[in-house]
Amino acid sequence: MSTTIKNKRVRENSVPKKIAFQDRIPFSNNKKSNLPSSHNPIYQREVRIRCKYCNRSRIFDGLWQYYKHCNHNHETETKYKEHVMSLADLVIGGTL
Ligand SMILES: [Zn+2]
């Protein structure tokens, strides 16, 4: 019995602590990132966008929603990730 408790303790200690996206080392000093992530505050901000590829009147409430839409429906498009990241740059710059 003592060995199982010991193993459990080891497993608990090996689990890394969760760090918020904006507090991770590449984003310290409030550096804003355009990397697609659901934890990225830039992608959580409400932005209304019309899809570039299907050109439908569907409007997205956030960049992360738009990224998921592109990842699911426009996988064959070559540079959809770069397109979404350029939109994130516009959000960081304050023009979108
Ligand atoms: Zn689309």
Side-chain angles (χ1 to χ4, degrees), residues 15-79:
V15 173
K17 287 177 185 173
K18 284 181 183 174
I19 307 168
F21 188 88
Q22 59 270 24
D23 296 335
R24 291 175 197 168
I25 292 161
F27 315 108
S28 55
N29 298 326
N30 290 329
K31 196 178 168 189
K32 283 166 183 167
S33 163
N34 63 357
L35 286 174
S37 165
S38 61
H39 301 288
N40 192 339
I42 297 299
Y43 281 76
Q44 289 169 348
R45 201 175 295 173
E46 259 188 38
V47 171
R48 313 215 111 207
I49 321 152
R50 196 176 295 257
C51 181
K52 177 193 171 189
Y53 301 110
C54 48
N55 212 7
R56 274 192 286 159
S57 60
R58 190 175 165 189
I59 295 169
F60 304 92
D61 282 330
L63 268 183
W64 180 243
Q65 296 274 327
Y66 182 54
Y67 178 75
K68 280 198 295 186
H69 166 80
C70 286
N71 199 8
H72 189 74
N73 297 303
H74 311 300
E75 243 182 329
T76 50
E77 301 289 343
T78 50
K79 289 187 174 174

